[in-house]
Amino acid sequence: MAPQTALPETFARAVDGLRSITPRPEILLEEVGAPQRLAPYAFALAATVLRDDDEVASGRLILLHDPAGHEAWQGTLRLVTYVTAELEVDLAADPLLPEVGWTWLTDALRVQDAGHRAIGGTVTQTMSTRFGDLAGPPAAGDVEIRASWTPVDDELVPHLHAWCTLLASTAGLPPPGVTALAERRPAGAA
């Protein structure tokens, strides 16, 4: 058996912060294997967002730590995220979707007071139409947000809250405590 290596205190505190919260009930978090070649230390969470027992979004949040620091990161810790959700076609086709998706992230970080620097990323919107043997449901659209940022310290609870807010926004969940109104059907409709 290999001897246990002690984790750097900064990384251990950051991981403890990521493990410490319970998100809103629609968001399921689980620890998953983290990429091992990006930094000397890494930790990852995967998320599934459910609405009425259907998966409507998913994501991954990766914490990287390099005790020597990284010039591009402007620090020793880095958070990397990937979030994706299927959207209604009219939303997925909106030319403002990339700007709105980026705002979901930056607003969530600001509202949760998750101090950060060196933020960057992409928002991708795609439309798919099936043909031939794959013909089936009508056209579908997706949004994908990939981003990374450097927290200003190792207190990552606000960053995890911000990431959960990003997941909820991407999935189209109402804010906590707000109930979405059921779609009203005309009398006699099935």
Side-chain angles (χ1 to χ4, degrees):
M1 181 190 286
Q4 179 112 6
T5 305
L7 295 175
E9 187 176 331
T10 297
F11 181 71
R13 264 196 315 272
V15 169
D16 286 346
L18 293 177
R19 287 178 170 154
S20 71
I21 75 157
T22 301
R24 59 190 286 178
E26 301 94 337
I27 300 174
L28 308 174
L29 296 180
E30 67 175 312
E31 292 182 26
V32 295
Q36 297 302 307
R37 290 182 243 146
L38 299 176
Y41 301 93
F43 175 82
L45 292 171
T48 302
V49 183
L50 302 173
R51 187 177 339 131
D52 300 324
D53 296 324
D54 291 327
E55 182 178 324
V56 292
S58 62
R60 195 166 289 234
L61 182 68
I62 302 166
L63 168 64
L64 304 173
H65 176 58
D66 186 341
H70 197 288
E71 187 177 331
W73 297 356
Q74 300 175 22
T76 62
L77 294 172
R78 188 77 173 166
L79 288 166
V80 180
T81 189
Y82 166 80
V83 173
T84 186
E86 190 171 317
L87 299 176
E88 295 176 13
V89 174
D90 57 332
L91 283 173
D94 189 325
L96 295 177
L97 179 62
E99 288 81 9
V100 170
W102 188 251
T103 300
W104 290 335
L105 172 61
T106 57
D107 283 356
L109 290 167
R110 181 183 48 75
V111 166
Q112 295 297 333
D113 200 24
H116 62 281
R117 61 180 163 258
I119 189 170
T122 62
V123 178
T124 305
Q125 63 193 109
T126 58
M127 297 288 295
S128 300
T129 304
R130 297 176 174 97
F131 297 97
D133 288 345
L134 295 178
D142 294 288
V143 64
E144 175 185 285
I145 301 168
R146 293 178 183 262
S148 63
W149 64 93
T150 299
V152 296
D153 57 35
D154 59 11
E155 176 51 54
L156 297 190
V157 169
H159 295 270
L160 186 56
H161 282 296
W163 185 61
C164 289
T165 300
L166 170 64
L167 286 162
S169 296
T170 306
L173 297 179
V178 174
T179 303
L181 297 175
E183 185 177 317
R184 185 173 172 195
R185 297 179 185 212

